[in-house]
Amino acid sequence: MAKFKMKLCQRWLLFVLFIALPGVLSFSELSFITEPSDVIVLPKDPAVLDCQAHGQPPVSIKWLKNGVRLTESEHIQFLPNGSLFIPKIKHTTEESDEGFYQCLSQNKFGAILSQRSRLTIATISEFLTHPVPMVVTEGSVARFSCAVASNPPATITWELNQSTLPLSTNRITVLPNGVLQIHNVQLEDAGQYRCVAANIGTRLSSKEATLTVNQGPVPRQRPRIIAGPQNITVSLHQTVVLECVATGNPWPIISWSRADSKPIDVYNAKVLGNGNLVITDVNVKHNGVYLCRATTPGTRNYTIAAANLTVLVPPSIVEKPESQTRPRAGTARFMCQAEGEPPPRISWLKNGEEVHLNGRIKLYNSKLVITQIIPEDDAIYQCVAESEQGSVLSLARLIVVMSEDRPSAPRNIHAETISSSAILLAWERPLYNADKVIAYSIHYMKAEGLNNEEYQVVIGNDTTSYIIDDLEPARNYSFYIVAYMPMGASRMSDQVSQHTLEDVPLRTPELTLTSHSSTDIQVKWNPLPAKLSRGRVSAYRLSYRTAADASVTSVELPQNTTEYLLEDLQPDSIYLLRMAASTRAGWCEPSAWTSHRTPRTTSSKVPSAPILQLEPLNCTSVVARWQPSSDSVPVLGYRLVYHEEDQPEQPTIQLQALNYTFTITGLDPRRKYHVKILAIGQAGEGYQTDQTVTTPGCLSTRDQLAATPPAPNNLIVLANNSTSVSLRWSRPAYTSGKAVSYTVRCTPVGTHNASAIRYLQTTKQTVVILKLHPNTRYEFVVRLHVDQMSSPWSSVVYHQTLPSVPNHPPAAVRVTLIEDDTALVSWREPPEPNIVVTHYTIMYASQKSWLAGNWQIVQREGSHTMALLEQLDPGSIYLVKISASNQVGDGPFSNPVELALKRGSAHRTKNPRHSDMYSDGLYHIDQKSMTGIIVGVSIALACIIMCALILISKGRPRPGISVPNERHVENVEALIPMMRDHFIDAKGGSTIIINSGGPVNDKNQSKKWLLFSKERNSVESRACLYEAGKTVLTYEDRLGAAPLPPSSREIIYGPLHSESSHSSEGSQETGDSGHYSNEVSSEEMSNPSTSETSRPASFGPEDEVPTVSKLKQSFEVENQEMRGHHKHHSTSNAPHCNTEASHPAQHLSQAVDS
């Protein structure tokens, strides 16, 4: 049934998602066939910006310039296909057509905006740099350069003496950036040089520069780079030139490499001239630092120049928003992630206009969230990613589904804190249309602060509780719930707020260590932010020791402390320090040891410790800034060293005296680094400052995806006993070398009690969970934690604990003698919750066997609560006890129950045996038994018909004869034997009670016995078939009276336990049928006075002796007659022993058999 409900819920959800599929497909038809692109034109030239859209007609196209809508005029014309036409470009100081253009396409589904197109008017400026005169020696290198601002970029050529410079020789190189290089200068290279810049609109010439060539020997010299590469930033797919010109004697060899040791792209890179590196069609992989190395041939003499190449990348959307169908009052979330260099800005449009944020519509970083959706939210939304390199858009539509028959909101929302990161939320189903609910949506967000992001969880309709377990410790959260149906959603429920518990701090504060003298260390730190403290910090614990001594000294500091001075320390000694912080939840793990050396004791004055400040620049860089101390000691320079925690120190970095900042690059994200700096004076090294810093995580999409650890897998649960289980799992394929920990959650299935949910922390891949409830179904999940990140929960594994050994014996043990040598044992299962019984063990023994230690054993399945004990010795006393067992073990035995058997009867061999009718507690009916049952039922039906005819005939009043009064019992004369114990008519036909005091009749009894009423002088009754525990009323007519049919005899049986039953408890169950009743006997026995007062006169003391003598005589005669004329029919053939349901004919056959 649960699977059917799940499938039905999934089908409804699919129906909700695809109910408006035609609308989604229709909106996708509103798209651009052609979007405007960048264009460069000359003043007074015409320009056309193309824009064509496709969609369900009618489709209209409008144009915007710099975000302002354009109106059609003579100067601005809209073509029939949607394009924009400008006949004559204006470019004056008062008015210019230059700018950014976009077209807006609209139909009945909404509107979409095109990408941004830039219209640029071609220009070229005056030369920014002119070539300068040069004097060189013959055989050396001459270099000229010029620069001009041009759009589009200008093409630069060179002229010598106002004639185009011939490039036939490989000694002359003109770089794309306009640099002219002349290697191995000759005398004929002297002259006037100028550069010419030209684009589509203009051609400009620079000033001339004279090259003078002198003759003379070139001295031997080391290699020297006279024009090295410069840091350069280029756009994607452009060509970049890294210049490298070197001189030396002998002539140096120029080679290129990358600082990161990666190979240079051989397909797009080439060497131009005598050492210039040209890279065409650059992309992201070309980013990096390039090294130019000039080496003297045959020696190790070299010099290096470096430059950084940065490639700018236009925005691109890596995670596009998806169209959604949401019911009214629902929530829609549009995701959008973009990449580019520089990182693009993300904004959102609704039908081509900027989205107006309010309480319902919020922007979380780049995610657009719309809550409590209304019909006006049905629109086309566009994610816009733009930067200086361009813009890109991606669209998605929100379809709002309307429904008038919505369910009411969920009721009675209740939140209960489970742990520092989990809250249990429970609610009641909607009051109206609850049967139409297919899912619930849980919304939650932080209650404090502004513009907090709202999260949503959707669950099925088969539960009204949920555990939200990704919360931050010591935070207040607000919750509300929405019920969903196929065509709509309810209103939001009432909001509830709940606070998570505090947790131990996530990490310790960053320490700053300085020394003001040779015997002290000043320790400073900043308070932990709320996200790291995970509660209110109650204390700090500062521990320190020397590197040579293992004994640790700890100082506990109050919560508002941010610095502490350690005094009376040893000079010139290395001290190790670490700190821990605590909240009400306990102490966090202390930080790693941080080392600091106290200064030497010296009479010379050295510089004091600089004031250091570390600030993460990004996930791989940290900026170190410092200020010199206020003392007057001159500083010659600074020495800075850093290292990752638990890693060796990097080489020392020497800095100039006037440098007060340094950027540490090439770090790893989310790592802790130690940075040390000291000043150097005339007397040597000054006092040192130590500080720690943690790099943040990278925010790019790739890093985020790579950083999220996967969930553990292969979770296996093994049962130890009824109250504990063992869990083991596999660590996911996670390449991080950092230590990991795990959280195990154990939840009883279906619980709404937060205290029943348990969380266990471990660093191993196995855990033993104790103190579970026996025979209870639990669900187990595991999640991984590494480097302040958590994986999702693993797949749920269900496991039911083993049942416990029964702690109590079976209840209501009862032993009933049903034959001379056969007893029926019945019981109830032990009174324990969640008990599982696989079998019962019945042990019985006679008194002699019990003393000898010989017990007989009978076992029955756990579903049975009765058993037969056969072949018992008459006249013996038996002890019977029972225990319950399961696969775990055996429970205790019950208290022994005694059963006293009577001596065997003279007619015992004539009685049918019952033992063959039982097999393992079940009944089996053979063919003979079935024949007897059919005959008995036939006789019973004949008797009932005859009784009915007699009642009708006797009920008619005869002429001249009055009907006897119903209330006069003296009209009936019967000879009834007096019994020493009370007796109950168990078949329900009479309420008479016969005991030593005589019969007891209620007020309606005479009416029931009207059948046996006769005139006092014409009827004589006597009883027969007397046997202990049985009573037979037999009536015989005098001579001349019509004989009564055999069915008129009424047979009354006493209960089986009247003389041969012993019980340990007053049970109400026995036998396979499992039911019997003592109610009548209990009620009537509770009023013995009634039996005395209602005794008829005919049963008085004066009649006792003759009555008994007559009874004995009649018993002997009648017993012989009945044995000769009747068959034996055993009621044991019937499948049940309930005397209340027995038929009179069956009682009759029992009496005859006896």
Side-chain angles (χ1 to χ4, degrees), residues 637-785:
Y638 294 95
R639 184 172 298 163
L640 185 144
V641 65
Y642 69 94
H643 66 92
E644 185 180 346
E645 192 169 76
D646 300 327
Q647 298 295 326
E649 290 185 350
Q650 298 293 324
T652 301
I653 301 172
Q654 301 287 345
L655 300 169
Q656 299 296 325
L658 298 180
N659 285 351
Y660 301 113
T661 180
F662 182 79
T663 301
I664 305 173
T665 59
L667 308 180
D668 292 330
R670 294 191 178 96
R671 296 290 188 270
K672 191 171 186 177
Y673 287 87
H674 297 256
V675 181
K676 303 177 182 180
I677 191 172
L678 56 85
I680 302 175
Q682 295 288 348
E685 295 181 353
Y687 295 164
Q688 179 177 285
T689 298
D690 298 277
Q691 191 170 335
T692 58
V693 64
T694 302
T695 54
C698 294
L699 300 177
S700 69
T701 304
R702 292 189 305 271
D703 291 334
Q704 286 181 347
L705 294 176
T708 303
N713 48 34
N714 299 331
L715 177 60
I716 299 176
V717 184
L718 301 176
N720 293 344
N721 51 52
S722 58
T723 59
S724 68
V725 296
S726 296
L727 273 73
R728 69 169 183 260
W729 57 89
S730 300
R731 177 174 173 172
Y734 191 62
T735 58
S736 173
K738 286 205 164 187
V740 299
S741 62
Y742 301 92
T743 297
V744 179
R745 188 181 76 195
C746 171
T747 308
V749 174
T751 185
H752 287 180
N753 183 13
S755 60
I757 303 171
R758 297 170 59 185
Y759 290 83
L760 290 85
Q761 308 288 336
T762 180
T763 57
K764 301 179 181 179
Q765 292 175 219
T766 60
V767 69
V768 176
I769 304 179
L770 306 173
K771 298 181 180 180
L772 301 177
H773 296 296
N775 197 32
T776 303
R777 187 172 173 82
Y778 287 87
E779 66 174 30
F780 301 91
V781 290
V782 185
R783 79 189 315 176
L784 177 145
H785 308 280

Side-chain angles (χ1 to χ4, degrees), residues 334 349-350 355 368 370 377 379-383 394-396 398:
F334 292 103
L349 303 176
K350 175 185 175 182
V355 171
L368 179 65
I370 305 174
D377 295 328
I380 299 176
Y381 294 84
Q382 289 179 282
C383 169
S394 181
L395 55 88
L398 173 61

Side-chain angles (χ1 to χ4, degrees), residues 791-828:
S791 74
W793 288 108
S794 67
S795 300
V796 178
V797 173
Y798 294 94
H799 182 80
Q800 185 156 352
T801 53
L802 295 175
S804 61
V805 177
N807 296 321
H808 298 83
V813 178
R814 182 180 181 82
V815 185
T816 304
L817 186 66
I818 61 175
E819 286 189 1
D820 294 340
D821 63 346
T822 303
L824 179 69
V825 185
S826 61
W827 63 89
R828 290 202 302 262

Side-chain angles (χ1 to χ4, degrees), residues 504-505 507-509 528 537-541 579-583 586-590:
V504 297
R507 67 167 184 247
T508 57
L528 286 172
V537 175
S538 57
Y540 295 100
R541 179 184 294 156
M579 176 169 279
S582 72
T583 61
W587 290 91
C588 71
E589 289 293 328

Side-chain angles (χ1 to χ4, degrees), residues 9 13 326-333 369-373 407 409-410 413 425 427 430 437-444 454-461 463-466 468 478-485 488-494:
C9 179
L13 289 175
R326 291 290 181 267
R328 184 171 59 179
T331 298
R333 288 177 171 82
V369 179
I370 305 174
T371 59
Q372 288 298 299
I373 292 174
I413 314 300
L425 202 64
W427 63 92
V437 174
I438 62 171
Y440 293 98
S441 176
I442 301 174
H443 303 255
Y444 60 99
E454 182 181 276
Y455 301 92
Q456 180 183 17
V457 177
V458 178
I459 61 175
N461 64 346
T463 183
T464 55
S465 64
Y466 187 77
I468 303 172
S478 62
F479 304 86
Y480 71 87
I481 304 173
V482 176
Y484 281 84
M485 59 179 292
S490 69
R491 298 185 183 278
M492 59 183 290
S493 66
D494 295 335

Side-chain angles (χ1 to χ4, degrees), residues 784-993:
L784 177 145
H785 308 280
V786 58
D787 197 18
Q788 307 176 24
M789 296 180 296
S790 299
S791 74
W793 288 108
S794 67
S795 300
V796 178
V797 173
Y798 294 94
H799 182 80
Q800 185 156 352
T801 53
L802 295 175
S804 61
V805 177
N807 296 321
H808 298 83
V813 178
R814 182 180 181 82
V815 185
T816 304
L817 186 66
I818 61 175
E819 286 189 1
D820 294 340
D821 63 346
T822 303
L824 179 69
V825 185
S826 61
W827 63 89
R828 290 202 302 262
E829 67 179 15
E832 299 178 34
N834 298 330
I835 187 67
V836 173
V837 178
T838 58
H839 64 275
Y840 292 97
T841 301
I842 304 103
M843 298 182 64
Y844 66 99
S846 63
Q847 194 169 17
K848 294 181 181 179
S849 301
W850 171 68
L851 292 175
N854 298 325
W855 291 83
Q856 300 186 54
I857 298 176
V858 176
Q859 288 192 342
R860 289 292 180 265
E861 295 182 1
S863 59
H864 299 154
T865 56
M866 63 162 288
L868 283 177
L869 306 181
E870 300 178 299
Q871 299 181 359
L872 305 179
D873 294 333
S876 300
I877 298 177
Y878 278 83
L879 297 179
V880 181
K881 58 183 180 180
I882 307 176
S883 72
S885 306
N886 54 28
Q887 65 265 35
V888 181
D890 301 324
F893 278 91
S894 63
N895 294 327
V897 177
E898 292 187 2
L899 172 65
L901 272 68
K902 299 179 301 180
R903 293 292 179 183
S905 173
H907 308 288
R908 175 182 172 187
T909 58
K910 303 269 185 171
N911 291 341
R913 294 300 305 244
H914 298 275
S915 61
D916 59 346
M917 309 308 295
Y918 293 87
S919 177
D920 293 333
L922 302 175
Y923 294 104
H924 301 279
I925 301 176
D926 55 14
Q927 186 175 2
K928 293 182 179 180
S929 300
M930 181 60 69
T931 304
I933 292 174
I934 295 174
V935 173
V937 172
S938 302
I939 294 175
L941 292 175
C943 292
I944 292 174
I945 295 173
M946 294 178 66
C947 288
L949 295 175
I950 293 174
L951 285 175
I952 296 173
S953 62
K954 297 298 182 179
R956 296 176 181 175
R958 299 179 181 179
I961 300 177
S962 61
V963 179
N965 194 330
E966 293 177 355
R967 300 184 181 275
H968 294 119
V969 71
E970 53 270 358
N971 290 343
V972 180
E973 182 177 283
L975 299 179
I976 305 176
M978 297 297 104
M979 302 172 64
R980 63 173 179 262
D981 291 334
H982 70 274
F983 170 77
I984 301 173
D985 175 16
K987 79 180 162 52
S990 172
T991 58
I992 185 170
I993 300 179

Side-chain angles (χ1 to χ4, degrees), residues 1044-1092:
L1044 291 173
S1047 62
S1048 62
R1049 296 186 178 95
E1050 178 119 1
I1051 303 168
I1052 307 174
Y1053 281 84
L1056 294 175
H1057 63 274
S1058 59
E1059 286 187 8
S1060 59
S1061 177
H1062 302 267
S1063 174
S1064 63
E1065 290 185 32
S1067 175
Q1068 297 295 318
E1069 297 185 15
T1070 188
D1072 281 348
S1073 64
H1075 300 284
Y1076 69 94
S1077 177
N1078 275 348
E1079 295 177 0
V1080 178
S1081 62
S1082 301
E1083 293 176 1
E1084 296 180 357
M1085 288 180 60
S1086 64
N1087 194 1
S1089 61
T1090 306
S1091 63
E1092 297 290 343

